[in-house]
Amino acid sequence: MTEPGFIPATDALDPRYAFDRRANWVRVRTLALLRWIAISGQIAAVLVGHVVFGLSLALGPIGAAIGAAAITNIMAITIWPKTRRLSEAELAGTLIFDMVQLSSLLALTGGLHNPFALLILAQVAISAAALGRRQTRIVCTVAAGLITALLFVHLPLTTRSGEVLHLPDLFLAGFWTALLIGIVFQASYARRVTAEVTAMGDALAATQMALAREQKLTDLGGVIAAAAHELGTPLATIALVSAELVDEADDADTRADAQLIRDQAERCRQILRDMGRAGKQDRHVRLAPISSVIEEAAGPHRDRGIDLRVTCRAEPGSDDRQPSVARRPELIHGLRNLVQNAVDFARTRVWIDVRWNETVVAVRIADDGPGYPPDTLSRLGDPFLRRRRETGPDPSRPGYEGMGLGLFIAKTLLERSGAEITFANGQDGFGPATADRDRCGALVTLTWARDQVAVTTDRAPLGENDAVSG
């Protein structure tokens, strides 16, 4: 039971497609710098091996292999601007070239008997982090093929005295097996971690967008309320004067014009009143009873063909007065996403129960729908849980493809307000006993410590509301 919330959950946010966007994030300058580091390391390794350890190396072919990498790097930074970002195919080709160049050096220096053979895993890790699944498989296949070829095709690693340095066959086979396993493991591990990080980053960006949107709507409501307050008196004056003109006009045309002015002035007043109804910026609206906040969050979903029931009551022995809470955008938007989710999947009814005592404020949202898939309960609230298609019989509640982004946004925003959130299925025992049998669908329980969410009565009084003329 996942849903996209108010931010569309598109393929662009699906981690399975995230690498389509990441492939062109790698700049030529970045790869060129990494290649220069690799070339410097290769030169240093050859010099140390030849001079310090007295290895007999084919310096001519080795220099040609290193020179090929250097020439290619110079051509790349000369032809392409340093800020150019490589396409997926270009990046894959570059990584394969680097693997072939490294394998050529290894073939000239003992093959798998050379411990530097493990450096071929570097290109595998880069491909897993930056390329799509298909290209990563190609790179891994090439890497496995090159390692296997090095097992059989290589020059022996010898000293100047003619001693051949080689591993025992058992160790050589083990090294080859370890490299193959390392290719598969590192590619899978790097890709999974990168996908998780990208999915979380995209989801957090969507959460910030949702919060910014809600904040803008709240700010806009304040502007509208201020406009209604300032324009109330002029519009009332126009309405009064036009009414007098209607009464005193001698001819029908003048009377009709005056009546038109009066009607339009009244229309402007009504428009401003409707637009500013939810946007007054007095203290009474900024701090509201929790039932008012719940109603505001559920309001957009009351006309969708589902019976939406809200009940509020104190626990036995607690103060019956409702706790007042701040109308924060993250609280309203998070609750609205959860209510939308319940309405989308409910068959006929959604219950929103609010309970409080001296220490805790709790809200539970239940429906009579199919509930959450049991295999996803432990992972609900994570972004991009899975993709699925739900098609309901009611055309006013169309199916959609969801990846859990809406639940993630709601969970993130509500946790910012101090809420603890749990997801479950089945009867909750929270509402009236006669209704519990119907609450067979999804259950979301929100729990706040009262001092975190409620404005206690020992704080400053609300004060007078702003006057609204007209």
Side-chain angles (χ1 to χ4, degrees), residues 275-368:
M275 294 176 66
R277 183 171 298 160
K280 302 187 187 81
Q281 291 300 295
D282 55 37
R283 296 198 65 189
H284 176 69
V285 177
R286 291 200 298 268
L287 302 177
I290 191 169
S291 61
S292 299
V293 175
I294 296 294
E295 288 290 347
E296 182 176 351
H301 305 294
R302 283 199 171 276
D303 298 327
R304 298 181 57 196
I306 295 296
D307 182 14
L308 218 168
R309 300 184 178 183
V310 179
T311 61
C312 302
R313 71 165 183 256
E315 296 291 347
S318 301
D319 189 352
D320 289 337
R321 290 178 297 176
Q322 289 190 29
S324 295
V325 300
R327 293 181 58 258
R328 290 186 286 178
E330 58 266 29
L331 181 63
I332 295 173
H333 190 85
L335 288 170
R336 186 173 294 160
N337 267 15
L338 294 179
V339 173
Q340 179 193 6
N341 191 73
V343 171
D344 284 341
F345 288 88
R347 294 186 178 93
T348 60
R349 190 168 298 154
V350 171
W351 295 266
I352 304 176
D353 300 307
V354 183
R355 303 291 182 267
W356 63 88
N357 56 32
E358 301 303 325
T359 58
V360 173
V361 177
V363 176
R364 292 194 185 181
I365 302 172
D367 62 65
D368 59 354

XYZ file of all heavy atoms in Angstrom, residues 275-368:
744
model
N -10.620 33.052 -0.435
C -9.191 32.781 -0.563
C -8.465 32.943 0.770
O -7.494 32.236 1.043
C -8.569 33.711 -1.607
C -9.068 33.461 -3.024
S -8.406 34.657 -4.196
C -6.675 34.231 -4.164
N -8.920 33.846 1.608
C -8.219 34.090 2.856
C -8.739 33.319 4.039
O -8.256 33.472 5.149
N -9.726 32.442 3.798
C -10.338 31.714 4.906
C -9.318 30.872 5.667
O -9.331 30.777 6.877
C -11.469 30.826 4.378
C -12.208 30.089 5.447
C -13.432 29.427 4.852
N -14.339 30.425 4.313
C -15.285 30.157 3.394
N -15.385 28.941 2.910
N -16.078 31.101 2.962
N -8.403 30.216 4.917
C -7.399 29.362 5.556
C -6.063 30.066 5.728
O -5.087 29.434 6.065
C -7.194 28.093 4.733
N -6.039 31.372 5.492
C -4.747 32.024 5.516
C -4.600 33.160 6.490
O -3.637 33.900 6.423
N -5.589 33.368 7.393
C -5.443 34.433 8.377
C -4.226 34.172 9.227
O -4.035 33.080 9.727
C -6.689 34.522 9.249
C -7.999 34.759 8.492
C -9.108 35.004 9.482
C -10.458 35.073 8.788
N -10.971 33.738 8.532
N -3.425 35.188 9.434
C -2.195 35.015 10.189
C -2.327 35.600 11.595
O -1.435 36.272 12.084
C -1.031 35.667 9.445
C -0.668 34.930 8.178
C -0.259 33.498 8.471
O 0.742 33.273 9.127
N -1.013 32.541 7.982
N -3.493 35.358 12.234
C -3.576 35.715 13.636
C -3.167 34.512 14.472
O -2.997 33.413 13.978
C -4.985 36.210 13.990
C -6.063 35.195 13.608
O -5.780 33.995 13.765
O -7.151 35.602 13.182
N -3.028 34.713 15.759
C -2.517 33.643 16.611
C -3.505 32.496 16.721
O -3.128 31.361 16.970
C -2.183 34.203 17.998
C -1.074 35.217 17.970
C -0.502 35.406 19.355
N 0.131 34.170 19.797
C 0.562 33.995 21.039
N 0.405 34.942 21.939
N 1.141 32.866 21.376
N -4.818 32.804 16.588
C -5.805 31.741 16.694
C -5.632 30.718 15.581
O -5.895 29.530 15.773
C -7.218 32.328 16.640
C -8.287 31.268 16.652
N -8.550 30.490 17.759
C -9.131 30.851 15.682
C -9.523 29.642 17.477
N -9.893 29.840 16.225
N -5.188 31.148 14.402
C -5.017 30.227 13.291
C -3.644 29.566 13.342
O -3.482 28.406 13.000
C -5.224 30.965 11.948
C -4.964 30.035 10.780
C -6.652 31.493 11.867
N -2.630 30.280 13.777
C -1.308 29.668 13.891
C -1.287 28.585 14.955
O -0.558 27.606 14.850
C -0.256 30.736 14.200
C -0.002 31.683 13.038
C 1.325 32.373 13.213
N 1.361 33.179 14.425
C 1.038 34.468 14.490
N 0.615 35.088 13.398
N 1.123 35.136 15.629
N -2.095 28.754 16.018
C -2.251 27.743 17.051
C -3.704 27.303 17.039
O -4.597 28.110 17.287
C -1.879 28.305 18.428
C -0.460 28.873 18.568
C -0.282 29.457 19.955
C 0.572 27.798 18.299
N -3.941 26.039 16.737
C -5.312 25.559 16.576
C -5.501 24.259 17.338
O -4.536 23.519 17.564
C -5.622 25.344 15.093
N -6.737 23.948 17.743
C -6.995 22.638 18.340
C -6.598 21.531 17.368
O -6.680 21.695 16.143
C -8.509 22.659 18.589
C -8.869 24.108 18.643
C -7.936 24.793 17.700
N -6.176 20.417 17.913
C -5.671 19.355 17.049
C -6.727 18.860 16.092
O -6.431 18.453 14.969
C -5.093 18.206 17.897
C -4.331 17.231 16.990
C -6.188 17.521 18.707
C -3.509 16.221 17.741
N -8.010 18.922 16.492
C -9.073 18.490 15.577
C -9.136 19.389 14.347
O -9.411 18.919 13.236
C -10.419 18.499 16.293
O -10.742 19.805 16.753
N -8.857 20.692 14.519
C -8.862 21.609 13.377
C -7.729 21.286 12.412
O -7.902 21.345 11.189
C -8.743 23.056 13.861
O -9.834 23.403 14.686
N -6.567 20.943 12.958
C -5.441 20.571 12.100
C -5.745 19.288 11.348
O -5.451 19.165 10.153
C -4.167 20.424 12.961
C -3.000 19.925 12.111
C -3.807 21.756 13.606
N -6.358 18.315 12.025
C -6.738 17.061 11.356
C -7.748 17.343 10.246
O -7.639 16.811 9.134
C -7.306 16.067 12.371
C -6.234 15.670 13.399
C -7.859 14.837 11.665
C -5.089 14.893 12.823
N -8.743 18.180 10.532
C -9.748 18.498 9.514
C -9.120 19.207 8.320
O -9.490 18.957 7.172
C -10.849 19.369 10.128
C -11.779 18.637 11.074
C -12.680 17.661 10.334
O -12.754 17.725 9.091
O -13.312 16.827 11.016
N -8.177 20.101 8.575
C -7.506 20.790 7.472
C -6.719 19.819 6.616
O -6.709 19.909 5.382
C -6.587 21.867 8.020
C -5.879 22.674 6.930
C -5.051 23.812 7.484
O -5.146 24.094 8.697
O -4.301 24.430 6.694
N -6.043 18.851 7.266
C -5.279 17.861 6.509
C -6.196 16.939 5.717
O -5.875 16.547 4.591
C -4.405 17.046 7.458
N -7.341 16.584 6.281
C -8.241 15.644 5.617
C -9.183 16.323 4.639
O -9.787 15.647 3.791
C -9.054 14.886 6.667
N -9.318 17.646 4.733
C -10.293 18.359 3.914
C -10.257 18.066 2.421
O -11.301 17.799 1.804
N -9.075 18.074 1.763
C -9.055 17.840 0.309
C -9.561 16.461 -0.112
O -9.821 16.244 -1.291
C -7.559 17.997 -0.036
C -6.994 18.837 1.053
C -7.745 18.444 2.279
N -9.701 15.514 0.836
C -10.081 14.149 0.473
C -11.494 13.790 0.906
O -11.900 12.632 0.800
C -9.094 13.158 1.108
C -7.669 13.435 0.752
N -7.186 13.305 -0.528
C -6.631 13.892 1.511
C -5.898 13.641 -0.547
N -5.546 13.998 0.668
N -12.269 14.771 1.357
C -13.630 14.481 1.811
C -14.605 14.302 0.656
O -15.693 13.746 0.855
C -14.124 15.588 2.745
C -13.532 15.489 4.143
C -14.348 16.273 5.147
N -13.913 16.023 6.518
C -14.304 15.004 7.261
N -15.142 14.110 6.749
N -13.876 14.855 8.502
N -14.270 14.775 -0.509
C -15.185 14.686 -1.653
C -14.767 13.601 -2.639
O -15.027 13.704 -3.837
C -15.249 16.040 -2.383
C -15.781 17.141 -1.493
O -16.634 16.843 -0.633
O -15.342 18.296 -1.652
N -14.128 12.563 -2.149
C -13.629 11.515 -3.037
C -14.421 10.214 -2.920
O -13.960 9.155 -3.326
C -12.154 11.261 -2.757
C -11.268 12.472 -3.014
C -9.808 12.170 -2.753
N -9.360 11.050 -3.550
C -8.242 10.362 -3.315
N -7.483 10.701 -2.288
N -7.902 9.354 -4.075
N -15.621 10.277 -2.360
C -16.486 9.104 -2.320
C -16.217 8.156 -1.178
O -16.731 7.025 -1.177
N -15.418 8.564 -0.189
C -15.094 7.725 0.964
C -15.621 8.403 2.229
O -15.470 9.614 2.402
C -13.575 7.491 1.077
C -13.064 6.692 -0.117
C -13.226 6.770 2.372
C -13.627 5.290 -0.216
N -16.251 7.612 3.106
C -16.744 8.118 4.383
C -15.554 8.325 5.314
O -14.937 7.363 5.776
C -17.734 7.110 4.983
C -18.316 7.609 6.297
O -18.162 8.814 6.591
O -18.929 6.801 7.022
N -15.236 9.581 5.590
C -14.068 9.929 6.382
C -14.548 10.391 7.760
O -15.178 11.445 7.890
C -13.272 11.035 5.677
C -11.740 10.970 5.744
C -11.142 11.945 4.755
C -11.251 11.270 7.136
N -14.273 9.591 8.799
C -14.770 9.869 10.138
C -13.626 10.287 11.070
O -12.632 9.575 11.179
C -15.473 8.641 10.711
C -16.668 8.192 9.872
C -17.391 7.039 10.533
N -18.569 6.647 9.757
C -19.414 5.696 10.130
N -19.215 5.038 11.272
N -20.463 5.397 9.367
N -13.817 11.426 11.720
C -12.820 11.943 12.652
C -13.427 11.969 14.047
O -14.513 12.530 14.234
C -12.344 13.350 12.247
C -11.323 13.878 13.250
C -11.759 13.335 10.843
N -12.774 11.355 15.005
C -13.220 11.379 16.392
C -12.073 11.838 17.276
O -10.925 11.464 17.065
C -13.697 9.996 16.868
O -12.615 9.065 16.777
C -14.848 9.496 16.002
N -12.404 12.661 18.271
C -11.404 13.178 19.202
C -11.939 13.022 20.619
O -13.085 13.428 20.896
C -11.115 14.662 18.930
S -10.545 15.024 17.258
N -11.140 12.447 21.496
C -11.546 12.357 22.892
C -10.330 12.124 23.778
O -9.314 11.574 23.335
C -12.591 11.258 23.094
C -12.095 9.845 22.958
C -13.128 8.884 23.552
N -12.667 7.515 23.508
C -13.079 6.604 22.653
N -13.956 6.941 21.739
N -12.616 5.366 22.695
N -10.467 12.557 25.007
C -9.396 12.378 25.989
C -9.481 10.981 26.585
O -10.550 10.367 26.648
C -9.515 13.433 27.086
N -8.332 10.494 27.029
C -8.313 9.222 27.746
C -8.996 9.408 29.106
O -9.030 10.520 29.659
C -6.874 8.745 27.941
C -6.134 8.427 26.656
C -6.675 7.182 25.970
O -7.446 6.435 26.614
O -6.343 6.965 24.785
N -9.567 8.339 29.641
C -10.238 8.470 30.958
C -9.300 9.066 32.001
O -8.140 8.680 32.125
C -10.598 7.015 31.291
C -10.708 6.344 29.969
C -9.688 6.993 29.093
N -9.829 10.046 32.739
C -9.050 10.695 33.783
C -8.212 11.851 33.298
O -7.493 12.461 34.103
N -8.277 12.188 31.998
C -7.479 13.288 31.452
C -8.359 14.499 31.200
O -9.596 14.407 31.172
C -6.802 12.860 30.145
O -5.976 11.747 30.358
N -7.742 15.632 31.006
C -8.449 16.871 30.719
C -9.171 16.746 29.391
O -8.581 16.356 28.374
C -7.441 18.027 30.677
C -8.126 19.381 30.597
O -9.362 19.421 30.419
O -7.411 20.399 30.705
N -10.459 17.094 29.360
C -11.247 16.962 28.134
C -10.908 18.024 27.097
O -11.273 17.879 25.929
C -12.745 17.041 28.457
C -13.232 15.801 29.194
O -12.569 14.753 29.068
O -14.260 15.889 29.892
N -10.244 19.092 27.500
C -9.919 20.143 26.539
C -8.885 19.644 25.538
O -7.874 19.053 25.916
C -9.386 21.372 27.261
C -10.422 22.113 28.076
C -9.806 23.276 28.803
N -8.797 22.842 29.759
C -8.051 23.666 30.482
N -8.200 24.978 30.351
N -7.164 23.189 31.337
N -9.147 19.903 24.255
C -8.232 19.456 23.211
C -6.894 20.181 23.319
O -6.863 21.395 23.577
C -8.817 19.718 21.824
C -9.971 18.845 21.443
C -10.314 19.012 19.979
O -9.443 19.312 19.155
N -11.575 18.821 19.645
N -5.803 19.477 23.102
C -4.511 20.174 23.039
C -4.422 21.045 21.799
O -4.888 20.651 20.711
C -3.496 19.025 22.998
C -4.254 17.857 22.470
C -5.665 18.023 22.942
N -3.877 22.220 21.939
C -3.650 23.097 20.793
C -2.255 22.835 20.239
O -1.295 22.661 20.995
C -3.778 24.565 21.209
O -5.102 24.852 21.602
N -2.153 22.795 18.914
C -0.881 22.527 18.259
C -0.600 23.631 17.248
O -1.509 24.316 16.781
C -0.881 21.154 17.553
C -1.121 20.035 18.553
C -1.930 21.110 16.439
N 0.660 23.779 16.914
C 1.056 24.761 15.898
C 0.740 24.205 14.513
O 0.998 23.036 14.230
C 2.540 25.075 16.021
N 0.188 25.031 13.676
C -0.153 24.631 12.304
C 1.098 24.698 11.434
O 1.219 25.536 10.557
C -1.244 25.525 11.733
C -2.595 25.375 12.399
C -3.636 26.276 11.759
N -3.791 26.002 10.338
C -3.282 26.731 9.361
N -2.537 27.793 9.644
N -3.475 26.424 8.096
N 2.007 23.777 11.700
C 3.256 23.759 10.939
C 3.039 23.058 9.602
O 2.311 22.055 9.521
C 4.346 23.061 11.740
C 4.795 23.860 12.936
C 5.962 23.209 13.629
N 5.555 22.029 14.373
C 6.385 21.250 15.047
N 7.673 21.521 15.051
N 5.938 20.212 15.713
N 3.672 23.550 8.537
C 3.467 22.936 7.217
C 3.820 21.464 7.188
O 3.125 20.666 6.563
C 4.388 23.756 6.293
C 4.541 25.067 6.982
C 4.497 24.771 8.441
N 4.925 21.068 7.875
C 5.320 19.665 7.823
C 4.300 18.764 8.502
O 4.079 17.623 8.077
C 6.700 19.464 8.447
C 6.819 19.907 9.892
C 7.329 21.312 10.034
O 7.082 22.132 9.122
O 7.973 21.603 11.047
N 3.634 19.267 9.547
C 2.621 18.469 10.235
C 1.400 18.271 9.352
O 0.897 17.151 9.194
C 2.239 19.156 11.542
C 1.194 18.454 12.412
C 1.706 17.107 12.873
C 0.817 19.325 13.606
N 0.929 19.345 8.755
C -0.274 19.258 7.915
C -0.001 18.424 6.665
O -0.797 17.553 6.284
C -0.756 20.675 7.545
C -1.204 21.421 8.808
C -1.886 20.614 6.526
C -1.546 22.868 8.577
N 1.120 18.667 6.025
C 1.407 17.936 4.784
C 1.627 16.451 5.064
O 1.189 15.596 4.303
C 2.642 18.525 4.103
C 2.857 17.996 2.714
N 2.236 18.532 1.618
C 3.584 16.954 2.251
C 2.594 17.864 0.537
N 3.411 16.895 0.899
N 2.322 16.117 6.161
C 2.523 14.721 6.487
C 1.216 14.007 6.776
O 0.972 12.901 6.278
N 0.350 14.618 7.577
C -0.956 14.020 7.848
C -1.781 13.894 6.580
O -2.472 12.889 6.369
C -1.701 14.871 8.877
C -1.175 14.821 10.319
C -1.841 15.896 11.162
C -1.414 13.439 10.918
N -1.707 14.894 5.722
C -2.486 14.862 4.480
C -2.042 13.710 3.584
O -2.863 13.042 2.951
C -2.346 16.197 3.756
C -3.235 16.340 2.526
C -3.147 17.751 1.991
N -3.704 18.695 2.940
C -3.436 19.994 2.942
N -2.580 20.490 2.054
N -3.991 20.792 3.822
N -0.749 13.440 3.522
C -0.264 12.315 2.727
C -0.776 10.983 3.270
O -1.154 10.091 2.515
C 1.270 12.312 2.708
C 1.821 13.049 1.509
O 1.110 13.789 0.847
N 3.090 12.876 1.240
N -0.779 10.840 4.598
C -1.262 9.591 5.192
C -2.758 9.422 4.969
O -3.234 8.313 4.700
C -0.940 9.573 6.690
C 0.545 9.522 7.056
C 0.708 9.525 8.566
C 1.219 8.297 6.451
N -3.513 10.510 5.072
C -4.953 10.425 4.811
C -5.199 10.088 3.349
O -6.075 9.280 3.010
C -5.646 11.748 5.206
C -7.110 11.726 4.786
C -5.531 11.979 6.707
N -4.435 10.685 2.452
C -4.579 10.368 1.030
C -4.321 8.892 0.781
O -5.043 8.238 0.026
C -3.610 11.194 0.194
C -3.705 10.885 -1.296
C -2.553 11.455 -2.092
O -1.616 11.993 -1.522
N -2.604 11.333 -3.393
N -3.300 8.375 1.407
C -2.967 6.970 1.230
C -4.118 6.077 1.682
O -4.475 5.103 1.018
C -1.702 6.641 2.024
C -1.140 5.282 1.676
O -0.576 5.107 0.623
N -1.322 4.325 2.576
N -4.713 6.399 2.841
C -5.835 5.617 3.348
C -7.052 5.721 2.436
O -7.707 4.718 2.136
C -6.181 6.075 4.762
N -7.362 6.922 1.970
C -8.515 7.116 1.097
C -8.319 6.401 -0.236
O -9.248 5.814 -0.794
C -8.773 8.621 0.884
C -9.819 8.851 -0.197
C -9.220 9.262 2.193
N -7.101 6.411 -0.759
C -6.830 5.775 -2.048
C -7.137 4.285 -2.026
O -7.549 3.723 -3.037
C -5.365 5.988 -2.450
C -5.102 7.392 -2.955
O -6.072 8.070 -3.335
O -3.936 7.827 -2.958
N -6.915 3.636 -0.882
C -7.043 2.183 -0.831
C -8.238 1.707 -0.023
O -8.490 0.503 0.031
C -5.752 1.573 -0.267
C -4.601 1.634 -1.221
C -3.778 2.743 -1.260
C -4.363 0.606 -2.113
C -2.719 2.819 -2.159
C -3.307 0.671 -3.008
C -2.491 1.774 -3.033
N -8.965 2.611 0.630
C -10.139 2.213 1.391
C -11.262 1.792 0.452
O -11.379 2.283 -0.678
C -10.603 3.362 2.282
N -12.085 0.867 0.950
C -13.260 0.466 0.163
C -14.403 1.458 0.353
O -14.972 1.956 -0.624
C -13.699 -0.934 0.577
C -12.677 -2.016 0.235
C -13.233 -3.408 0.542
N -12.269 -4.449 0.167
C -11.379 -4.975 0.988
N -11.323 -4.551 2.251
N -10.531 -5.908 0.581
N -14.745 1.740 1.602
C -15.865 2.648 1.862
C -15.574 3.667 2.948
O -16.205 4.715 2.991
C -17.116 1.849 2.273
O -16.826 1.101 3.462
C -17.550 0.911 1.154
N -14.615 3.387 3.862
C -14.525 4.215 5.059
C -13.092 4.342 5.540
O -12.300 3.415 5.426
C -15.385 3.601 6.166
C -15.593 4.470 7.399
C -16.699 3.862 8.261
N -17.957 3.827 7.511
C -18.950 2.959 7.741
N -18.799 2.047 8.690
N -20.049 3.014 7.028
N -12.807 5.529 6.104
C -11.519 5.807 6.751
C -11.819 6.421 8.115
O -12.674 7.302 8.238
C -10.655 6.770 5.914
C -9.433 7.222 6.689
C -10.224 6.105 4.614
N -11.110 5.918 9.145
C -11.255 6.442 10.493
C -9.992 7.206 10.883
O -8.882 6.720 10.694
C -11.457 5.322 11.504
C -12.726 4.541 11.345
C -13.915 4.745 11.977
C -12.918 3.395 10.506
N -14.825 3.805 11.590
C -14.247 2.962 10.678
C -12.086 2.699 9.622
C -14.769 1.867 10.009
C -12.603 1.614 8.940
C -13.931 1.210 9.129
N -10.189 8.388 11.450
C -9.075 9.148 12.030
C -9.427 9.394 13.486
O -10.366 10.146 13.794
C -8.842 10.478 11.293
C -8.619 10.242 9.799
C -7.654 11.222 11.897
C -8.475 11.520 9.002
N -8.713 8.741 14.368
C -8.988 8.833 15.803
C -7.868 9.592 16.492
O -6.688 9.274 16.307
C -9.104 7.440 16.410
C -10.221 6.625 15.764
O -11.350 7.136 15.730
O -9.953 5.501 15.301
N -8.261 10.575 17.290
C -7.304 11.381 18.045
C -7.565 11.152 19.527
O -8.707 11.281 19.994
C -7.448 12.879 17.707
C -6.383 13.690 18.442
C -7.357 13.097 16.203
N -6.512 10.780 20.257
C -6.613 10.552 21.696
C -5.468 11.283 22.391
O -4.384 11.431 21.815
C -6.544 9.054 22.024
C -7.610 8.219 21.330
C -8.998 8.501 21.874
N -9.987 7.649 21.211
C -10.677 8.018 20.145
N -10.484 9.222 19.625
N -11.569 7.198 19.616
N -5.708 11.698 23.610
C -4.651 12.371 24.346
C -4.834 12.134 25.845
O -5.929 11.826 26.329
C -4.647 13.869 24.055
C -5.897 14.589 24.496
C -6.159 15.135 25.722
C -7.069 14.814 23.701
N -7.404 15.680 25.746
C -7.995 15.507 24.514
C -7.422 14.505 22.389
C -9.244 15.898 24.056
C -8.667 14.886 21.943
C -9.565 15.578 22.761
N -3.725 12.250 26.552
C -3.744 12.263 28.007
C -2.753 13.312 28.472
O -2.381 14.198 27.694
C -3.457 10.867 28.577
C -2.137 10.289 28.069
O -1.187 11.032 27.808
N -2.076 8.978 27.933
N -2.303 13.204 29.690
C -1.428 14.250 30.220
C -0.027 14.218 29.618
O 0.708 15.203 29.691
C -1.327 14.110 31.743
C -2.668 14.217 32.466
C -3.385 15.518 32.154
O -2.693 16.554 31.993
O -4.617 15.513 32.065
N 0.360 13.111 29.022
C 1.749 12.987 28.543
C 1.864 12.694 27.056
O 2.916 12.934 26.470
C 2.474 11.867 29.305
O 1.768 10.632 29.119
C 2.545 12.197 30.793
N 0.812 12.180 26.423
C 0.916 11.690 25.048
C -0.264 12.192 24.221
O -1.393 12.290 24.722
C 0.957 10.143 25.020
C 0.880 9.625 23.585
C 2.216 9.626 25.694
N 0.015 12.507 22.964
C -1.013 12.774 21.963
C -0.846 11.741 20.855
O 0.265 11.566 20.337
C -0.898 14.195 21.389
C -1.934 14.413 20.286
C -1.057 15.230 22.482
N -1.921 11.039 20.513
C -1.843 9.968 19.523
C -2.903 10.169 18.447
O -4.022 10.598 18.734
C -2.023 8.602 20.186
N -2.538 9.857 17.223
C -3.452 9.884 16.080
C -3.324 8.562 15.361
O -2.202 8.114 15.073
C -3.128 11.050 15.113
C -4.030 10.984 13.891
C -3.269 12.380 15.821
N -4.449 7.920 15.073
C -4.428 6.677 14.311
C -5.336 6.817 13.102
O -6.464 7.298 13.210
C -4.870 5.494 15.168
C -3.885 5.160 16.266
C -4.159 3.817 16.877
N -3.263 3.582 18.011
C -3.257 2.482 18.739
N -4.106 1.520 18.460
N -2.422 2.338 19.751
N -4.816 6.409 11.970
C -5.546 6.461 10.703
C -5.740 5.030 10.243
O -4.770 4.291 10.026
C -4.773 7.277 9.651
C -4.514 8.697 10.174
C -5.537 7.316 8.334
C -3.594 9.514 9.285
N -7.006 4.606 10.113
C -7.325 3.241 9.740
C -8.291 3.255 8.573
O -9.023 4.228 8.356
C -7.935 2.483 10.922
N -8.295 2.193 7.776
C -9.226 2.074 6.657
C -9.706 0.639 6.554
O -9.226 -0.251 7.256
C -8.570 2.535 5.342
C -7.367 1.702 4.951
O -7.554 0.501 4.665
O -6.241 2.233 4.925
N -10.681 0.425 5.689
C -11.218 -0.920 5.479
C -10.762 -1.508 4.152
O -11.459 -2.304 3.541
C -12.743 -0.908 5.550
C -13.361 0.014 4.499
O -12.597 0.727 3.802
O -14.592 0.026 4.369
